[in-house]
Amino acid sequence: MASKASLYVISGPSGVGKGTVCKALLAREKSLAYSVSATTRSRRPGEIDGVHYYFLSKEEFLRRVEAGEFLEWATVYDNYYGTLRPFVLEQLEHGRDVILEIDTNGALQVKKLMPDAKLVFLEPPSEQELLHRLVGRETESPEEIAKRQQCLAYEMSQKEYYDYAVVNDEVERAVDEIRQIIARRRSE
Ligand code: 5GP
């Protein structure tokens, strides 16, 4: 009998490359469903509503919190981010494995609610490398970078609560390691 569908949470500090790794993972593992999060942060150039995020006003986000629409939600760098519960549950019910790309607080909320979820902590080869990437991607202002830098030590300390730690030294290698985690789980 096929084993039941699993929820995988890819998390880790800001700038570690969660987005890049998830994109490459989804390109390789077509059967995975990616959960598009909701956020109150403003849209960056090139981002599409409903593809990268559902961009919501604070009022609308809080209305959905009240309505119980989020599996988890957290305040990250002064904005709200959340995972929409119906999408995740529907995919799992239909036997599809789901990937969440969320911050460390959200990841631990998911683990509490769904202990079978597999938490993958994506870590940088070094903190210096991570700061270099944060500055290099040019998507945040210097103030935002400073904020993210302040959170780094806390985010790194969360690693111990995860099921797996994967070093993002090279995207394809990190993706292969996550694919092995998925393959092992599927064969259980
Ligand atoms: P960014 O604004 O750079 O896209 O994301 C900022 C942080 O929010 C990242 O660490 C990202 O993983 C996290 N994030 C994105 N979506 C969610 C979500 O639905 N829930 C939580 N808790 N964090 C999220």
Side-chain angles (χ1 to χ4, degrees), residues 8-29:
Y8 297 94
V9 180
I10 311 287
S11 189
S14 183
V16 73
K18 296 187 289 274
T20 311
V21 166
C22 281
K23 207 170 152 198
L25 175 65
L26 291 162
R28 298 259 180 290
E29 294 279 346

Side-chain angles (χ1 to χ4, degrees), residues 18 37 41 44 53 72 74 81-83 101-103 106 148:
K18 296 187 289 274
S37 295
R41 84 146 160 73
R44 294 181 189 140
Y53 282 107
E72 63 73 35
Y81 291 80
T83 302
E101 188 234 297
I102 62 177
D103 87 318
R148 285 168 194 236

Side-chain angles (χ1 to χ4, degrees), residues 39-177:
T39 183
T40 59
R41 84 146 160 73
S42 40
R43 206 178 328 171
R44 294 181 189 140
E47 285 185 332
I48 302 163
D49 189 30
V51 174
H52 298 95
Y53 282 107
Y54 293 105
F55 294 96
L56 305 180
S57 66
K58 288 207 163 160
E59 294 69 28
E60 176 62 12
F61 193 100
L62 292 174
R63 191 194 65 72
R64 291 184 186 219
V65 170
E66 285 299 309
E69 286 184 29
F70 292 111
L71 183 64
E72 63 73 35
W73 70 279
T75 306
V76 190
Y77 314 119
D78 301 334
N79 282 297
Y80 303 140
Y81 291 80
T83 302
L84 292 158
R85 184 195 302 271
F87 176 83
V88 174
L89 298 187
E90 269 162 32
Q91 297 298 316
L92 292 174
E93 270 161 30
H94 285 96
R96 243 183 128 187
D97 291 341
V98 180
I99 290 280
L100 307 184
E101 188 234 297
I102 62 177
D103 87 318
T104 49
N105 288 323
L108 297 185
Q109 287 181 52
V110 170
K111 190 73 180 176
K112 254 193 204 156
L113 275 173
M114 301 169 87
D116 283 346
K118 290 293 173 198
L119 266 49
V120 178
F121 188 89
L122 203 59
E123 58 178 323
S126 70
E127 292 195 9
Q128 202 183 5
E129 172 66 25
L130 185 132
L131 292 174
H132 182 72
R133 285 185 200 169
L134 258 184
V135 174
R137 70 181 184 181
E138 291 181 349
T139 48
E140 287 88 12
S141 65
E143 294 74 29
E144 280 168 333
I145 289 175
K147 230 184 264 173
R148 285 168 194 236
Q149 203 174 339
Q150 275 167 19
C151 295
L152 182 57
Y154 169 75
E155 287 175 323
M156 288 300 292
S157 74
Q158 301 300 292
K159 184 172 117 177
E160 62 175 302
Y161 303 113
Y162 283 63
D163 299 298
Y164 305 95
V166 171
V167 178
N168 187 20
D169 46 1
E170 211 240 300
V171 175
E172 289 305 325
R173 199 210 58 76
V175 167
D176 281 347
E177 203 176 324

